[in-house]
Amino acid sequence: MKPIRFAQSSNIVKSIQLLIGFIAICNSPAIALDGPLGIHDPSTIVLCKGKYYTYGTGGSSLVSDDGWTWRLGVRPARRGLAPDIIQVGDRYYMYIAANIGRQPRAEINMIWNKTLDTNSSDFKWEEGGVVASSDGVEFCNAIDPGVFLDPTDGKLWLVYGSYFGFIRLIQLDPKTGLRINPNDKPVDIAINCEASDMIYHDGWYYLLATHGSCCRGAESGYNIRVGRSRHVTGPFIDNMGTDMIHGGGKLFLGSSGRVIGPGHFGLINLGDGIQKFSCHYEADLDRGGASVLDIRPLLWSDGWPVAGENCKAATYEIESIRTGTAIELAVEGIPVGGRPNRSMRGMFGGVEGVIPPQDVNEVSMNWPTGSVDVRMANYLCQAQQKWTIMPVTGAGGYLGSPYFKITVAGTDRPLAVGNDAELITLPAFTGSPEQLWRLDQLSDGTWRIMPKVIPNSKESLVLSAVGSSFVTLAKFDPASDKQRWLLKMP
Amino acid sequence: MDKDNNYIWTFVLLAISAFLIIVSFPGAAACGQIPKIGVENSTRNVPNTDGFIQRWLLLEPIRIKGDTQKEVQQTVKTEHFPDELTMMPKDKQKVSVNGSELIWHAVETDEYNVNLYYFADAVGSNCNNALFWAVVIVNCPQEMTNVRLAIGTNSASVWWVNGKEVIGIYGNRSTVIDDGVSKRLTLKKGSNVIRAAIINASGAADFCARFLDSKDTPLKGFTVSVGDIGK
C-alpha cells in the first residue's frame, strides 16, 4: 500500500471505490481463481475449520471452502489498511494499519479472535491495542504489517513500513500478540519498499517486500523482491550482495502475461514440502484491470524462492523423475511416421520432408474400446503417450487451481482410479470424482499428481512410479522421486 | 613323473581351463553370471538380501519370432506343448515342442538375475529368437496381501501369478530391476506358482524377479522351491 501522499480521508474514499469495484467483478469469468476475487493488499491466507480466509484493505474479506472458489466474507472489526493475520495457538491475531493524521503518521492495531467462523458462538473480535506507530516525523510509515512466527524458536515478529523510510522489525509476545517490550527500539531492515513479510527456509530468513508503485491499475509497477539473512534481524542481502537497507532485493515476481503489479506476498505452508503463496495483482487485464487475489506455487532454487505456475491447460508428456519414462496407455505403439524403410535412403537417411505428428484417430483404430490399463515407457512422441490436462468447470478445486481431467490427447478417454486403487483409463469422461485430478507444483518445479478421490477409501494417494514401466498410487513421500513428475510439452 | 611334475601339470591344466572359460564367457565366470544347472540341495530357497528369487525351473529355449506387444501376446497364447500355462514341471522333465524334445532344468544363480544367454549356451542352444519358460513356487507361511511382483527382463516378458497374467512388458529392452511391476496382489498361504515367458530377439538375455511389499520394499518371509507344489 503506497498512499503516502493521501490524507486518511482520501484512503477511505479510495477503499470505498475499491470495494465497489470488487463487487462489480464478482461474476466475472475466472481465469485464475474462481468467484469474486476483488481484493487489495490481501493478508496471508489462513485456515479455520476447513475454510480459507483472507482480509484486505478497507475491510474486504474473501472466504473459500476449497481454495479455488472464493466468495465475499464478513468484514473484520477494524477496516484499515493492508491487514495481516496469523494463528498462534487458539487465537487469530490480525494486525491492521490506519492513518491517524497526515501520512506518515500511522499506527498498527492488533485485534484477535478465537475463530474466523462467523457462525461460531466463539466468534468475537477483541481489541488488542497498538503494536507499532509512526509519528509523522520519524523515517518510517507504520502501515503494511507482516507477521511472522519463527519455526525455529517460536518467537513472533512483525515487520512493517512503507515507502516513507524504513521497513522495521519488532518482536511480539505469542501469548498476547502484543509487543514484548514497547520500549525496545525497532530494527530497521529495509528501505524503499512496502508490503513486507518474512519467511524461514532451510537456515535462512527471507524478507519479501514489494517494490514499485501501487494503486495505478495497469500502470502499477508493483513487484515482489527478496533478500535473505541468517538472522531474523538481518541484514537481508539480495543475490547481488546488496543489502535491502540500501534498496536491494532480488526479483521474486513481477508483471507477466495478463496480470500487472504483483504485491503483498503471503506464505501458505501445506506441509510435505508443498508451499504456495498468495498475492494480489494490481490489475488483471482479463478482469477489467481490477485488483485480484491469486495463489501460486512457491518453489526454491539455489536457496532462493521462485514463483511457480499453476497447471495450465495443455497437452503434455507426463514423465517420471524416478525413471525418466512417460505414462502411456497400455497399447502397442506405432512408430511416428511408420516403421522405418531402410531400403530407400539407407539406415540413417529417414524419409523425404517433415514427418507430421501422429494422428490419434488413425492409430487408435486398434485400441480396445473398454477400460485400458496405463503403464510407462520411453517417450517416443506416440499418440498414446500424450495427455491433455484441462480444468473441469463446476468440479471444485484446491488452493490455486480447479480440478483437472487428464485424457489421452485427441480422445475423451480419461485417466481414472479403479476400485482396486490402481490407475486405469475409461472409454469416456463422465466427471465422476475418481476422474478428477489435483496437480501441485513441488518446490523443485516438478509436479505431484493426486486424484480427487480413491473409490472405497479415504486415503490420499498420489501418482507413483513403482517401477520403470508401471505407475500406481501411493502415499506421498516428499523425500522420494517416485512421486515427482515433469509435465513436458510434446 | 615325480611329485613336482605333477604339480606343474596340474597347474598347467588349471590355467588352460581358466583360459578357456574366460575366452568362452569373458567376464562371466568372474561375475557369477553363469547359472548353475542341476544343483542338488540348493541353499537358494529364500530370497536374497534384496528380495530376488535365485532358483528357477527353466525350459530350454523354444524358437519364436517377434517381441512386439502383439507378437508376444500371440506367442504366449499359442500352445507349444501340452498344458503350457498350467503344468508344474520338474527338473529334467522333457516336453515335446514341434517334434523336438526340450528339457526343464533346475537352475540357481548367485546374482540377482538369471542369465539366459549362458543358460542357453550351457544346454547347447542359443537365445536368439527364443522363448524361455521359467517357473518357481513361492511358499508363504501366511497370506501376504498388497504385494507386487516386480521384474526386469531382456527382452519382452509376460508373467503369471497363480495362473493370472499380472505383467507384460514388450519390445527390445534391457533388464532393469523393477521394470515391470504388477498391480497389488495377494500371495495365498502355502504354494504360489510364478510363471514367466521371456522372449528374446537377439543378443544378451536375462531376467530378475522379486516381490515388493506395500511400502515398495523387498518382500521376505517366504521360501522358494522348484518341482512339486508344496515340496
Side-chain angles (χ1 to χ4, degrees):
Chain A
M1 195 68 186
K2 192 188 175 184
I4 185 69
R5 295 185 181 82
F6 295 96
Q8 184 178 11
S9 58
S10 299
N11 276 317
I12 293 171
V13 171
K14 193 175 68 159
S15 298
I16 294 170
Q17 290 172 335
L18 285 170
L19 281 173
I20 292 170
F22 297 160
I23 293 166
I25 63 167
C26 283
N27 297 315
S28 299
I31 297 297
L33 300 173
D34 190 33
L37 303 177
I39 197 165
H40 199 259
D41 314 323
S43 70
T44 300
I45 291 172
V46 286
L47 185 64
C48 178
K49 291 184 179 175
K51 291 186 171 66
Y52 298 99
Y53 296 82
T54 183
Y55 302 89
T57 286
S60 56
S61 167
L62 297 176
V63 187
S64 175
D65 296 328
D66 59 7
W68 160 245
T69 301
W70 293 79
R71 60 183 181 273
L72 296 179
V74 175
R75 294 178 174 209
R78 281 185 169 268
R79 302 173 189 176
L81 305 171
D84 199 21
I85 188 167
I86 192 170
Q87 181 184 14
V88 181
D90 61 354
R91 287 185 176 188
Y92 293 87
Y93 297 127
M94 180 184 287
Y95 299 88
I96 186 162
N99 293 314
I100 54 172
R102 187 172 181 81
Q103 282 199 333
R105 192 172 174 214
E107 63 184 21
I108 296 171
N109 278 272
M110 187 274 286
I111 56 176
W112 65 271
N113 207 322
K114 287 184 177 176
T115 179
L116 303 179
D117 177 8
T118 54
N119 295 319
S120 169
S121 58
D122 288 332
F123 182 82
K124 185 185 178 187
W125 288 107
E126 302 279 1
E127 285 289 338
V130 175
V131 295
S133 63
S134 53
D135 60 12
V137 177
E138 63 186 295
F139 200 42
C140 180
N141 184 16
I143 63 170
D144 286 10
V147 61
F148 165 61
L149 185 65
D150 189 337
T152 67
D153 57 14
K155 291 180 179 176
L156 190 64
W157 302 88
L158 190 81
V159 290
Y160 63 91
S162 183
Y163 285 103
F164 186 86
F166 294 115
I167 300 297
R168 287 182 163 166
L169 175 77
I170 56 173
Q171 189 176 0
L172 306 175
D173 184 348
K175 293 177 183 172
T176 64
L178 298 172
R179 286 186 74 170
I180 281 188
N181 187 348
N183 296 321
D184 282 351
K185 185 183 176 186
V187 181
D188 297 332
I189 55 174
I191 198 169
N192 294 338
C193 53
E194 63 182 12
S196 55
D197 200 8
M198 198 181 292
I199 61 175
Y200 177 85
H201 178 82
D202 200 19
W204 291 91
Y205 294 91
Y206 293 84
L207 180 65
L208 292 111
T210 307
H211 284 208
S213 58
C214 88
C215 315
R216 296 181 183 179
E219 202 180 14
S220 303
Y222 247 23
N223 60 92
I224 302 174
R225 301 263 166 178
V226 62
R228 68 180 184 179
S229 173
R230 289 292 187 187
H231 307 284
V232 70
T233 51
F236 292 91
I237 310 297
D238 72 12
N239 58 322
M240 299 305 292
T242 305
D243 195 329
M244 291 181 80
I245 203 77
H246 297 143
K250 180 182 189 291
L251 181 67
F252 169 74
L253 180 62
S255 302
S256 65
R258 301 274 296 167
V259 289
I260 293 172
H264 282 263
F265 173 96
L267 175 68
I268 308 166
N269 197 342
L270 298 179
D272 281 341
I274 298 176
Q275 294 182 315
K276 305 204 177 195
F277 71 94
S278 60
C279 68
H280 80 264
Y281 301 118
E282 289 287 332
D284 179 347
L285 301 181
D286 291 324
R287 289 177 179 265
S291 174
V292 297
L293 177 71
D294 198 12
I295 299 168
R296 292 172 56 167
L298 178 62
L299 319 183
W300 291 91
S301 176
D302 294 331
W304 291 97
V306 175
E309 297 271 1
N310 289 312
C311 186
K312 289 186 167 65
T315 294
Y316 297 99
E317 170 206 350
I318 306 175
E319 182 181 298
S320 164
I321 289 290
R322 177 193 176 185
T323 66
T325 49
I327 297 176
E328 68 172 19
L329 195 67
V331 296
E332 177 142 12
I334 298 172
V336 180
R339 302 206 181 276
N341 182 350
R342 290 172 176 164
S343 62
M344 300 294 288
R345 297 164 65 100
M347 182 176 288
F348 307 113
V351 297
E352 185 73 34
V354 174
I355 296 176
Q358 202 162 60
D359 183 350
V360 68
N361 293 316
E362 287 183 16
V363 298
S364 64
M365 299 284 278
N366 295 323
W367 292 357
T369 54
S371 299
V372 180
D373 284 348
V374 293
R375 65 186 177 200
M376 297 197 297
N378 290 329
Y379 182 70
L380 297 171
C381 304
Q382 296 175 1
Q384 78 280 4
Q385 301 179 314
K386 298 177 184 178
W387 300 88
T388 298
I389 300 177
M390 292 285 291
V392 179
T393 304
Y398 52 97
L399 269 171
S401 283
Y403 281 109
F404 294 88
K405 63 176 178 179
I406 303 175
T407 52
V408 178
T411 77
D412 193 34
R413 176 175 286 280
L415 184 66
V417 183
N419 290 328
D420 56 356
E422 298 283 7
L423 294 167
I424 199 166
T425 65
L426 301 172
F429 179 74
T430 65
S432 60
E434 68 275 10
Q435 301 173 27
L436 300 174
W437 296 89
R438 166 179 180 156
L439 291 96
D440 289 299
Q441 198 170 25
L442 302 173
S443 62
D444 61 355
T446 61
W447 295 85
R448 185 184 74 171
I449 304 174
M450 174 190 288
K452 183 176 183 181
V453 300
I454 308 288
N456 311 315
S457 172
K458 292 181 179 176
E459 279 194 302
S460 291
L461 304 178
V462 301
L463 247 63
S464 182
V466 68
S468 300
S469 300
F470 189 71
V471 55
T472 185
L473 293 162
K475 286 185 179 175
F476 181 59
D477 177 2
S480 173
D481 280 346
K482 286 182 183 176
Q483 292 136 9
R484 294 175 183 270
W485 301 88
L486 292 174
L487 300 181
K488 289 183 168 179
M489 292 286 188
Chain B
M1 268 190 290
D2 60 21
K3 199 174 178 182
D4 286 345
N5 280 338
N6 279 342
Y7 285 136
I8 292 169
W9 278 110
T10 302
F11 176 78
V12 168
L13 286 171
L14 285 171
I16 291 170
S17 300
F19 174 76
L20 290 173
I21 289 171
I22 291 168
V23 168
S24 303
F25 305 130
C31 70
Q33 281 288 329
I34 299 176
K36 298 170 184 170
I37 299 175
V39 176
E40 293 183 6
N41 301 318
S42 173
T43 57
R44 305 290 186 190
N45 58 356
V46 292
N48 77 358
T49 52
D50 293 322
F52 290 103
I53 297 170
Q54 295 174 297
R55 291 184 74 191
W56 295 87
L57 273 168
L58 298 182
L59 181 61
E60 293 173 358
I62 299 170
R63 296 295 142 215
I64 51 89
K65 265 205 156 184
D67 60 9
T68 67
Q69 182 170 345
K70 184 178 177 182
E71 289 166 335
V72 168
Q73 280 294 329
Q74 195 169 346
T75 292
V76 300
K77 286 178 173 59
T78 301
E79 189 170 78
H80 301 89
F81 55 89
D83 303 323
E84 191 171 13
L85 284 173
T86 56
M87 76 170 296
M88 280 311 307
K90 296 176 183 173
D91 188 24
K92 299 183 178 59
Q93 184 176 347
K94 295 174 182 174
V95 294
S96 179
V97 179
N98 297 328
S100 298
E101 273 194 346
L102 301 178
I103 303 173
W104 286 93
H105 297 275
V107 167
E108 71 172 45
T109 175
D110 295 335
E111 296 293 320
Y112 72 98
N113 64 332
V114 178
N115 193 308
L116 296 171
Y117 182 90
Y118 294 122
F119 168 74
D121 190 272
V123 298
S125 183
N126 67 75
C127 63
N128 293 335
N129 296 318
L131 159 63
F132 294 88
W133 282 106
V135 177
V136 72
I137 298 163
V138 167
N139 306 295
C140 298
Q142 69 279 324
E143 184 179 85
M144 295 179 168
T145 59
N146 288 324
V147 303
R148 299 175 189 273
L149 177 62
I151 60 91
T153 55
N154 181 351
S155 288
S157 63
V158 180
W159 293 73
W160 295 261
V161 174
N162 293 328
K164 183 182 178 186
E165 184 177 324
V166 294
I167 298 174
I169 59 175
Y170 307 99
N172 183 16
R173 60 203 304 145
S174 299
T175 294
V176 174
I177 291 172
D178 302 345
D179 183 359
V181 180
S182 74
K183 294 182 178 179
R184 298 176 189 88
L185 55 83
T186 297
L187 291 174
K188 64 190 181 192
K189 181 180 179 181
S191 300
N192 298 267
V193 179
I194 318 303
R195 190 183 305 269
I198 299 134
I199 283 115
N200 190 55
S202 64
D206 67 326
F207 73 93
C208 62
R210 62 179 174 177
F211 282 92
L212 302 176
D213 64 17
S214 60
K215 295 178 180 173
D216 297 344
T217 55
L219 186 72
K220 303 284 183 64
F222 62 85
T223 63
V224 296
S225 57
V226 295
D228 292 339
I229 289 178
K231 292 185 179 177

